[in-house]
């Protein structure tokens, strides 16, 4: 059995906080983000973009960037909206969400752009 590593994530240290599985990995490259968008679309999920300030990343409520992109199949349009959200909110975390119509839930959600930590 391998040894379990302790990630020193503490509420008192905002820079150390982990907020999802991917946050333990290096930030995604443009190509990796594109592949995630392609995956959401290939599953038939509706992409949406959300954002929040780093100090509120543990809250359940994130701001929605426009409405979900119902039926969108063009990866470049989803990426353009994500980038527009990032430019409009440069200090915020930006999250990509894939809404699954069939079981009325989020099929996937991941932070694709990390905001500046305090």
């Amino acid at each position: 059995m391998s040894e379990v590593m302790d990630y020193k994530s503490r509420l008192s240290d905002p820079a150390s906080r982990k907020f999802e599985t991917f946050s333990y990995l290096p930030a995604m490259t443009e190509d990796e983000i594109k592949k995630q968008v392609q995956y959401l679309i290939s599953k038939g999920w509706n992409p949406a973009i959300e954002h929040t300030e780093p100090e509120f990343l543990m809250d359940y409520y994130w701001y929605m960037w426009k409405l979900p992109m119902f039926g969108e199949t063009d990866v470049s349009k989803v990426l353009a909206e994500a980038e527009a959200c990032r430019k409009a909110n440069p200090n915020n975390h930006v999250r990509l969400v894939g809404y699954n119509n069939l079981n009325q839930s989020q099929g996937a959600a991941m932070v694709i752009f990390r905001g500046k930590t305090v």
Side-chain angles (χ1 to χ4, degrees):
M1 181 184 247
S2 63
E3 188 176 324
V4 177
M5 242 165 87
D6 180 19
Y7 290 97
K8 306 267 190 255
S9 183
R10 304 287 179 257
L11 287 175
S12 59
D13 180 10
S16 76
R17 295 181 194 158
K18 303 299 181 193
F19 42 91
E20 62 172 17
T21 304
F22 288 165
S23 70
Y24 291 91
L25 301 173
M28 284 192 265
T29 65
E30 287 183 30
D31 190 50
E32 290 168 333
I33 294 169
K34 183 178 180 179
K35 287 179 184 177
Q36 293 297 328
V37 174
Q38 288 170 331
Y39 176 77
L40 296 181
I41 290 173
S42 75
K43 299 291 279 182
W45 297 340
N46 295 305
I49 307 297
E50 298 176 341
H51 64 98
T52 194
E53 297 87 352
E55 58 268 23
F56 300 125
L57 67 91
M58 301 302 276
D59 293 348
Y60 292 103
Y61 180 80
W62 285 48
Y63 308 108
M64 186 170 280
W65 174 257
K66 302 184 180 178
L67 292 174
M69 294 169 259
F70 298 107
E72 185 59 68
T73 58
D74 187 345
V75 173
S76 63
K77 288 183 181 178
V78 177
L79 293 172
E81 285 300 328
E83 189 58 40
C85 179
R86 181 184 192 185
K87 285 183 181 177
N89 305 283
N91 296 324
N92 288 7
H93 294 308
V94 178
R95 178 165 67 183
L96 171 66
V97 179
Y99 288 107
N100 183 333
N101 283 348
L102 298 178
N103 59 11
Q104 307 250 331
S105 66
Q106 288 185 2
M110 68 206 72
V111 173
I112 55 175
F113 301 121
R114 298 177 189 177
K116 296 177 182 169
T117 54
V118 180

